[in-house]
Amino acid sequence: MTQEAMAQLVANTILQGSDAMYGRFLDVTSGAQERFEQQDWKSVQQALKTRIQFYDHHVGLVSQQLGAMLGKAHATRSFLMAVKAAYVTLLDDYPRYDIAESFFNSVYCRIFEHRNIRRDKLFVQSSQGGRIPKYPTPLLRRFQSQAGIYATLERMLDSTPFTLPWRDKSGDLKRVTQILQARFGPQLTMSFTLEMVRQPFFRNKGAYLIGRLDMANQRRPLVLPLAISEQGELYIDACITDSDDVSIVFGFARSYFMVYAPVPAALVDFLNQLMPNKTPAELYTAIGCQKHGKTELYREFLYHLDNSDDLFDIAPGVKGMVMSVFTLPSYGFVFKIIKDKFAPQKQMTHAQVREKYRLVKEHDRVGRMADTQEYRNFIFPRDRFSDALIDELLEVAPSCVNVTDNEVRIRHLYMERRMIPLNIYLEKAEPDAITQAVQEYGDALKELAAANIFAGDMLFKNFGVSRHNRVIFYDYDEIAYLTEVNFRHIPPPRYPEDELAAEPWYSVGDNDVFPEEFRTFLLVNRTVADEFDRLHPELFEAGYWQQLQSQVKAGHFHDVRPYSEENRLGHATLSPKTA
């Protein structure tokens, strides 16, 4: 076989593998409505994990197949370039070129074990110039306001694929109509167009109808979250029309949506119009295409690097005992690498740390755990690193870092959204902001517990404050399933001398946790302590945590809504919102 013919065969094999992967991805996604309507919440969580795992599984299958086909004979630059050229030709007019390019990159990196990674051999930039493919069926349903707001909303709701009965469709529609009239006033009395994504979005216990209002002078997003009552009936739970509020629904600390998207680039393009502050990387990730989200994030990083001149430096805050964190001050992400050696009190291995991060990736993050993207052999320009950072990395992780005159190569790292560490935030915050942060921190612990997650190391330094002032957990090396933790009361001292002893007078097992001790390391600041006692005193009681465990073991799945009470139909503000 000629090199050209072999290159074409390899290119076809990789694209077929990408098609097979995404086909299974869509198969799992297509079951989201049935799982939602049957309220099969355990299957919802399992489907999330299953869908994530498809990608690496298919990359492995294709890599093995190519290994058997090629051996080492074709690992030459000319052959690799011929394969890429053949692949580019296959992607002309191909609807999922974005996913296919990332799949190609993954197969290449798997075969070469993340070595020999050069831009000319990979799709570091897309070959398609941002082309937006067409959907096989129209992406949107359009409704003209010929008979007023209520009638337009009713036609839209009747076009959805749900099979459950509505609890009070007329009442819900009247309330949504009132909210929209109050927020947009005269603009909705004139002609407007309602455009809605044809397929509903599903996540956890909710479904979401997502679209926009195209009015005379502005376009605004319209998101209608749906839920199921105790009687098994559908109802509209909220009405969201603000881009920032929609952005929170698509936040980086939440699980990925299930939405049937045969052409993800077109869906991402529409979502970007609703949330202009979101990047393609964030939106691809939010709809479950997290591997291509990783590709887009790297492209966005390279663009930022080319358009900035500041230096990478050690991230502010208390240094971690397991991870070393650095950042570029002008950039919205941090870079985390696992240290070669951990502090003595950290009894774990590198493999266990990576497993914790994998657990978070596949678990319901309930808006309280930051998502991460994992990279290997990540190359930075040496002249953008401060000397202090170079010294730090070579001291704590010499096995992972290689420095030359021109580049810094890091064998393994995580990229994660940058936030203000909660301990630093509390030190500088005004009283009202402290109250809000303490409320958020306690809510974060409770919502994580409801999702069967115990943070482990609960120090404020392991939590961050987002741009929306939400408290997010981001240090995962001691994370555990709540049901695996043994919450205990501290037994009373046997003798007065017990309280003065250097060691506890009671036995302590590996999984034992004493919530009464949380006060000792959390409530150093008097103002913070007072707010805790007012807002979350139950967090210091073993009985409260044991009750949460019982609920999780009984299969109770809490409602964790990604929107404020003010947007819910029973509480929604009727005052206009600014754009």
Side-chain angles (χ1 to χ4, degrees):
M1 186 178 293
T2 65
Q3 176 172 284
E4 181 180 0
M6 180 59 79
Q8 189 66 50
L9 177 60
V10 170
N12 276 292
T13 300
I14 297 173
L15 188 59
Q16 288 167 5
S18 179
D19 266 341
M21 177 277 298
Y22 204 78
R24 296 189 70 186
F25 178 97
L26 290 177
D27 284 344
V28 172
T29 302
S30 66
Q33 180 179 331
E34 182 179 357
R35 291 188 290 270
F36 169 71
E37 292 191 340
Q38 292 182 355
Q39 303 180 66
D40 187 356
W41 309 131
K42 286 186 177 180
S43 292
V44 167
Q45 300 301 320
Q46 184 57 48
L48 173 67
K49 295 182 180 181
T50 299
R51 198 177 66 164
I52 289 173
Q53 293 167 357
F54 279 151
Y55 190 92
D56 284 338
H57 174 72
H58 282 271
V59 168
L61 291 178
V62 173
S63 300
Q64 292 174 7
Q65 186 176 358
L66 294 181
M69 288 167 54
L70 299 174
K72 301 292 185 180
H74 294 83
T76 64
R77 184 181 185 281
S78 62
F79 179 71
L80 295 174
M81 296 306 297
V83 170
K84 184 181 177 184
Y87 202 75
V88 169
T89 301
L90 293 175
L91 297 184
D92 289 341
D93 296 324
Y94 182 75
R96 289 190 295 275
Y97 71 86
D98 43 0
I99 307 302
E101 287 180 344
S102 288
F103 192 85
F104 180 99
N105 291 347
S106 298
V107 170
Y108 180 96
C109 290
R110 182 72 63 88
I111 289 174
F112 290 98
E113 299 178 333
H114 295 270
R115 297 190 297 268
N116 195 28
I117 298 176
R118 289 291 179 257
R119 294 192 182 191
D120 58 344
K121 299 170 184 172
L122 296 171
F123 290 98
V124 174
Q125 300 298 337
S126 176
S127 66
Q128 301 296 304
R131 172 171 64 87
I132 305 300
K134 291 184 178 180
Y135 251 57
T137 56
L139 170 65
L140 306 176
R141 293 185 190 272
R142 290 181 171 85
F143 305 88
Q144 297 295 331
S145 60
Q146 297 171 348
I149 304 171
Y150 181 98
T152 304
L153 290 171
E154 186 175 36
R155 282 189 288 121
M156 180 274 294
L157 217 57
D158 288 343
S159 74
T160 61
F162 297 102
T163 63
L164 292 179
W166 290 89
R167 182 181 66 182
D168 181 14
K169 183 171 71 171
S170 176
D172 288 351
L173 289 175
K174 287 178 181 177
R175 183 61 175 165
V176 173
T177 299
Q178 291 173 347
I179 293 168
L180 295 179
Q181 286 175 329
R183 291 181 182 174
F184 304 119
Q187 295 189 69
L188 280 177
T189 62
M190 299 177 282
S191 177
F192 69 90
T193 301
L194 177 61
E195 298 179 302
M196 303 297 292
V197 177
R198 186 177 295 268
Q199 299 292 337
F201 289 59
F202 297 91
R203 186 174 62 200
N204 299 336
K205 296 174 71 175
Y208 299 79
L209 305 179
I210 294 178
R212 68 183 173 201
L213 289 163
D214 191 352
M215 297 172 283
N217 298 319
Q218 63 173 320
R219 280 180 168 178
R220 295 294 292 271
L222 177 64
V223 174
L224 300 177
L226 309 181
I228 301 177
S229 70
E230 292 182 358
Q231 292 72 38
E233 297 171 319
L234 279 176
Y235 65 93
I236 301 175
D237 190 55
C239 176
I240 305 171
T241 58
D242 181 79
S243 285
D244 278 347
D245 291 341
V246 177
S247 183
I248 292 173
V249 172
F250 281 77
F252 65 90
R254 302 195 183 278
S255 303
Y256 308 139
F257 278 109
M258 294 264 176
V259 54
Y260 195 85
V263 186
L267 178 59
V268 165
D269 180 64
F270 177 75
L271 293 174
N272 208 187
Q273 297 172 46
L274 306 183
M275 296 168 279
N277 291 327
K278 288 283 189 187
T279 67
E282 294 173 284
L283 294 173
Y284 271 105
T285 300
I287 64 171
C289 300
Q290 79 278 2
K291 289 295 186 179
H292 185 66
K294 173 181 171 179
T295 299
E296 291 287 349
L297 181 60
Y298 184 63
R299 290 169 179 170
E300 292 163 10
F301 166 73
L302 292 178
Y303 178 83
H304 184 88
L305 206 60
D306 289 341
N307 290 275
S308 61
D309 58 9
D310 51 338
L311 298 181
F312 291 92
D313 208 345
I314 301 168
V318 180
K319 291 184 178 181
M321 290 183 281
V322 171
M323 309 289 280
S324 183
V325 185
F326 64 95
T327 187
L328 188 66
S330 64
Y331 188 54
F333 287 78
V334 298
F335 303 84
K336 304 171 69 170
I337 65 174
I338 304 174
K339 295 181 177 181
D340 281 6
K341 296 181 179 179
F342 307 150
Q345 57 266 49
K346 296 287 187 178
Q347 301 294 321
M348 61 184 63
T349 66
H350 280 218
Q352 288 172 326
V353 174
R354 290 193 293 270
E355 178 61 21
K356 301 287 188 182
Y357 276 77
R358 187 196 62 78
L359 182 157
V360 171
K361 171 71 73 174
E362 297 179 355
H363 199 80
D364 177 11
R365 295 190 293 280
V366 295
R368 296 298 186 178
M369 292 190 289
D371 193 17
T372 57
Q373 292 289 8
E374 186 177 7
Y375 293 90
R376 298 183 184 277
N377 285 329
F378 202 102
I379 298 175
F380 301 87
R382 169 63 181 87
D383 60 4
R384 296 293 294 274
F385 272 56
S386 69
D387 291 338
L389 176 57
I390 291 291
D391 292 342
E392 165 81 8
L393 296 180
L394 291 177
E395 178 183 352
V396 302
S399 70
C400 186
V401 180
N402 182 54
V403 180
T404 68
D405 291 341
N406 298 319
E407 65 182 34
V408 176
R409 182 189 297 267
I410 298 182
R411 294 186 180 88
H412 180 262
L413 63 76
Y414 297 97
M415 283 180 68
E416 183 180 277
R417 180 67 64 83
R418 188 177 69 187
M419 292 173 278
I420 303 173
L422 180 57
N423 60 312
I424 294 177
Y425 182 89
L426 290 171
E427 289 171 3
K428 300 178 179 179
E430 298 295 329
D432 287 349
I434 289 177
T435 298
Q436 181 183 8
V438 170
Q439 180 70 60
E440 275 283 304
Y441 173 83
D443 288 347
L445 294 181
K446 294 172 182 178
E447 290 169 11
L448 287 171
N452 197 24
I453 290 292
F454 179 65
D457 192 342
M458 295 164 58
L459 291 174
F460 295 147
K461 70 181 181 68
N462 297 321
F463 293 77
V465 180
S466 73
R467 72 182 182 93
H468 296 293
N469 292 320
R470 287 180 57 79
V471 170
I472 309 293
F473 183 47
Y474 55 56
D475 192 320
Y476 306 139
D477 53 83
E478 290 195 18
I479 202 170
Y481 290 116
L482 185 79
T483 49
E484 295 178 354
V485 179
N486 183 29
F487 292 101
R488 293 176 54 191
H489 296 280
I490 296 177
R494 300 162 301 178
Y495 316 104
E497 295 79 11
D498 282 346
E499 295 184 276
L500 303 176
E503 299 295 330
W505 60 89
Y506 47 87
S507 62
V508 180
D510 289 341
N511 294 324
D512 287 351
V513 170
F514 300 89
E516 296 158 77
E517 295 180 336
F518 296 168
R519 289 183 180 275
T520 304
F521 55 81
L522 287 179
L523 305 187
V524 178
N525 181 298
R526 186 68 259 167
T527 302
V528 172
D530 290 343
E531 290 301 296
F532 255 101
D533 286 333
R534 185 174 68 86
L535 297 170
H536 300 294
E538 64 275 13
L539 289 175
F540 306 111
E541 301 171 5
Y544 174 75
W545 292 93
Q546 292 166 356
Q547 181 183 8
L548 290 176
Q549 282 182 315
S550 298
Q551 292 174 352
V552 172
K553 290 177 180 177
H556 180 72
F557 291 83
H558 289 259
D559 294 312
V560 180
R561 297 180 177 87
Y563 41 87
S564 66
E565 286 293 313
E566 288 76 16
N567 278 315
R568 298 188 67 196
L569 257 56
H571 307 85
T573 176
L574 296 182
S575 59
K577 285 194 172 187
T578 57

